[in-house]
Amino acid sequence: MLYHSTRNKALAVSSAEAIAQGIAADGGLFVPESIPELTAADFEALKGLSYAERAARLFKLYLTDFTDEELRECTKNAYESGSFETANVQEIATLADGSMLLELWHGPTCAFKDMALQILPHFLTRSIKKTGTDKEVVILTATSGDTGKAALAGFKDVPGTKIMVFYPEDGVSSMQKRQMQTQEGENVCVCAVKGNFDDCQNGVKAIFTDPDMQKALDDNGMQFSSANSINWGRLVPQIVYYVSAYVTMLEKGILKAGDRFCVTVPTGNFGNILAAWYAKQMGVPIHHLVCASNINNVLTDFINTGVYDRSRDFHATVSPSMDILISSNLERLLYHMTGENDAQIREWFTALKTDGKYAIPTELKNRIQAEFSGSFYDDAKTKAMIGKVFSENGYLSDTHTAVGICAARDYQAAAGAEYPMLIASTANPYKFGAAVLEAIGGKADGADEYETLDLLRAKSGMEIPQALAELKTKAVRFSDVVAQDAMPAYVKERLGIQ
Ligand SMILES: *Cc1c(COP(=O)(O)O)cnc(C)c1O
């Protein structure tokens, strides 16, 4: 299996190269030359296997330059080394209305990002070796909160790597900030940026493409790579959990082979929902995909109008990991849905950069609407849904998942609930404790993040995850704050390559 750039189909690299590079030199994203298809017998064969075994078999279809042993080693290290709190890795909870929550947050940092970031370091270090370089990899990551911590946890003390994470100073929850500031490990660095997530992301992108910086790294035997969902090595583990969830629903008798179901995904960068779309192309019988947003509703508008327009106000919400105006992975969907029209993708994404928007033809918009719908919810509706789901089911959902539940219920009401609904549950509610506590009628009133954990526990009865409770005893190691334009100098200083 070779990988093309969405902006240049003539470019063809191995999966190891795609993962090692992270992003193509032309600014495009790596996409597989074809999408493997699974038969009913293939799904049948995945029954009874552990999550790690299922993952290894599915990775084999995409990462063809890895051996079976290598893939099994990677999945064992990621999913069977005790870093996930449940043996199944992912869990499915069912609400009274029959909708199902695919809980993806049982990993070490309590958000779904762990599903991919626990394995990416294993893929990446092997990919670097396969591509014949022995440079030190510097992972540079902009985060709206969850990616940063999950990447730090994944890359902590991995030989041959360093990781630097930038987050918006006031754009993450206090628990997310704590998780990052207390990160242990000799090869890690965390820094706040004055500005919002897009400022962080732009700062990081500018560093990636700065020729001076490239040279400085080169001279010092280093190379950059990315842990953001633009890296194919993050997307492919996300496809796995949708395939695996389908197999689990078959095992449990929730579905019969071939029965269709719908999927709702609370969305920011469009990575998670795109993984569900790939799973559908592979043969998972997904009837419809619902893209749920907060009031940063650029994707809802895009799905409804066919115009992607990032020129709008940025809003900080109670679901900060979805406070994003540039959803990078949409580029991959458009590439596939235009019949791999790289020239068209170049044109649209150049327009996005220069004019802040692009418009797709009606015919394509109609095809997208046949597969996706979008809707968005403000903080008040999000919190009301957390309260409603808690009082109806005793089930506590986080703010992002609640946006998904809102969208799923509206879609089911409009579509007559013809098919079962699976909602991606993306974070443990304790990560966003203050908002969740308020949503179920409690008050955080000046409580710090640890007191908030206890208050939420008392009110909800749900257990506090060990990984968050233990932060209290950990020292803050990182408190630097820089302006966006000071990021390059900061990176050089921290890497010691002045
Ligand atoms: C990252 C994140 C999202 C958004 O996922 P994308 O793949 O960026 O669309 C949603 N919820 C939570 C909790 C997240 O951490």
Side-chain angles (χ1 to χ4, degrees):
M1 173 82 73
L2 292 174
Y3 289 79
H4 300 306
S5 162
T6 47
R7 300 187 195 180
N8 177 12
K9 210 180 157 178
L11 185 74
V13 303
S14 67
S15 65
E17 277 173 279
I19 292 171
Q21 289 179 39
I23 187 164
D26 57 25
L29 306 188
F30 288 113
V31 277
E33 61 183 341
S34 62
I35 301 174
E37 281 177 39
L38 298 169
T39 63
D42 293 329
F43 290 118
E44 194 61 32
L46 294 173
K47 284 186 182 173
L49 299 184
S50 70
Y51 187 85
E53 285 165 348
R54 284 179 188 172
R57 292 205 187 177
L58 295 166
F59 288 147
K60 186 69 193 157
L61 305 173
Y62 284 103
L63 311 182
T64 47
D65 45 341
F66 285 65
T67 66
D68 291 351
E69 289 70 36
E70 284 173 322
L71 292 173
R72 197 60 188 94
E73 247 173 59
C74 290
T75 64
K76 240 181 141 76
N77 289 335
Y79 303 121
E80 290 178 342
S81 64
S83 59
F84 284 80
E85 62 178 12
T86 75
N88 294 331
V89 178
Q90 59 182 7
E91 299 292 337
I92 298 176
T94 307
L95 299 182
D97 69 353
S99 60
M100 292 167 281
L101 292 163
L102 177 60
E103 295 179 350
L104 300 168
W105 40 259
H106 294 285
T109 77
C110 306
F112 87 89
K113 305 291 199 292
D114 288 326
M115 301 294 290
L117 281 163
Q118 281 294 303
I119 199 158
L120 181 66
H122 302 293
F123 285 161
L124 190 64
T125 46
R126 283 170 179 78
S127 294
I128 301 275
K129 285 212 188 83
K130 284 181 194 295
T131 55
T133 60
D134 55 0
K135 287 187 181 163
E136 185 173 35
V137 194
V138 180
I139 304 292
L140 204 58
T141 293
T143 183
S144 57
D146 291 331
T147 295
K149 178 62 187 182
L152 288 162
F155 281 96
K156 174 194 162 201
D157 293 332
V158 172
T161 72
K162 279 198 168 72
I163 172 159
M164 301 184 78
V165 169
F166 291 96
Y167 68 91
E169 187 181 13
D170 300 315
V172 300
S173 80
S174 47
M175 186 53 78
Q176 288 177 314
K177 189 181 279 191
R178 262 309 147 173
Q179 282 186 296
M180 290 189 278
Q181 290 183 329
T182 56
Q183 177 64 45
E184 292 165 350
E186 292 309 309
N187 63 339
V188 305
C189 172
V190 176
C191 180
V193 175
K194 295 183 185 129
N196 62 32
F197 172 69
D198 284 330
D199 298 323
C200 279
Q201 175 140 304
N202 289 337
V204 164
K205 277 191 187 154
I207 293 170
F208 267 117
T209 50
D210 175 359
D212 272 359
M213 187 70 82
Q214 294 285 354
K215 186 171 180 313
L217 255 77
D218 228 27
D219 291 348
N220 288 277
M222 299 176 182
Q223 78 178 62
F224 282 132
S225 190
S226 167
N228 285 98
S229 58
I230 52 174
N231 194 318
W232 180 253
R234 255 193 74 180
L235 221 43
V236 72
Q238 296 186 214
I239 300 172
V240 168
Y241 54 70
Y242 288 107
V243 177
S244 177
Y246 171 57
V247 174
T248 299
M249 289 190 283
L250 293 177
E251 281 174 343
K252 290 188 173 181
I254 297 170
L255 300 176
K256 294 192 300 301
D259 280 356
R260 287 198 272 174
F261 62 103
C262 297
V263 175
T264 299
V265 185
T267 297
N269 217 6
F270 209 76
N272 199 357
I273 194 167
L274 181 71
W277 181 84
Y278 276 116
K280 179 181 172 183
Q281 307 312 304
M282 292 175 75
V284 176
I286 295 175
H287 174 70
H288 197 76
L289 291 154
V290 181
C291 174
S293 301
N294 63 28
I295 53 168
N296 295 294
N297 60 350
V298 62
L299 285 168
T300 312
D301 285 351
F302 174 71
I303 292 168
N304 289 338
T305 66
V307 178
Y308 194 100
D309 185 356
R310 63 149 208 229
S311 314
R312 59 181 72 211
D313 288 340
F314 178 96
H315 301 282
T317 72
V318 293
S319 45
S321 302
M322 291 154 52
D323 292 348
I324 287 178
L325 295 180
I326 300 177
S327 301
S328 313
N329 274 297
L330 194 55
E331 181 167 342
R332 286 189 165 112
L333 179 75
L334 293 175
Y335 175 83
H336 290 300
M337 288 193 75
T338 54
E340 312 187 344
N341 188 340
D342 54 352
Q344 181 64 79
I345 299 297
R346 268 200 310 279
E347 189 187 312
W348 286 336
F349 285 84
T350 307
L352 182 64
K353 195 156 188 201
T354 53
D355 315 331
K357 66 174 175 181
Y358 61 87
I360 60 170
T362 308
E363 171 276 325
L364 176 58
K365 183 192 77 178
N366 293 343
R367 280 193 289 122
I368 290 177
Q369 287 177 351
E371 294 197 71
F372 292 88
S373 8
S375 53
F376 72 97
Y377 303 87
D378 63 15
D379 285 356
K381 286 185 183 146
T382 306
K383 286 188 192 167
M385 185 55 81
I386 295 173
K388 192 168 153 66
V389 169
F390 184 67
S391 66
E392 285 172 359
N393 301 272
Y395 186 87
L396 200 60
S397 70
D398 98 289
T399 46
H400 305 75
T401 305
V403 170
I405 300 173
C406 288
R409 290 195 174 183
D410 282 349
Y411 173 79
Q412 288 294 62
E418 203 177 344
Y419 300 100
M421 176 62 81
L422 183 73
I423 304 162
S425 175
T426 51
N428 184 302
Y430 279 101
K431 267 197 117 157
F432 306 93
V436 172
L437 178 63
E438 211 178 289
I440 60 166
K443 279 203 174 61
D445 274 348
D448 72 17
E449 50 275 28
Y450 303 109
E451 290 159 356
T452 304
L453 293 181
D454 293 332
L455 289 170
L456 186 54
R457 159 109 224 249
K459 185 100 187 145
S460 71
M462 181 179 174
E463 220 175 297
I464 304 173
Q466 182 63 24
L468 299 184
E470 73 185 18
L471 292 178
K472 196 172 177 175
T473 60
K474 296 199 169 160
V476 167
R477 297 184 64 208
F478 303 100
S479 50
D480 290 342
V481 184
V482 299
Q484 188 191 323
D485 59 8
M487 287 167 66
Y490 184 84
V491 168
K492 281 192 180 164
E493 184 204 313
R494 284 305 168 122
L495 294 176
I497 56 170
Q498 281 298 5

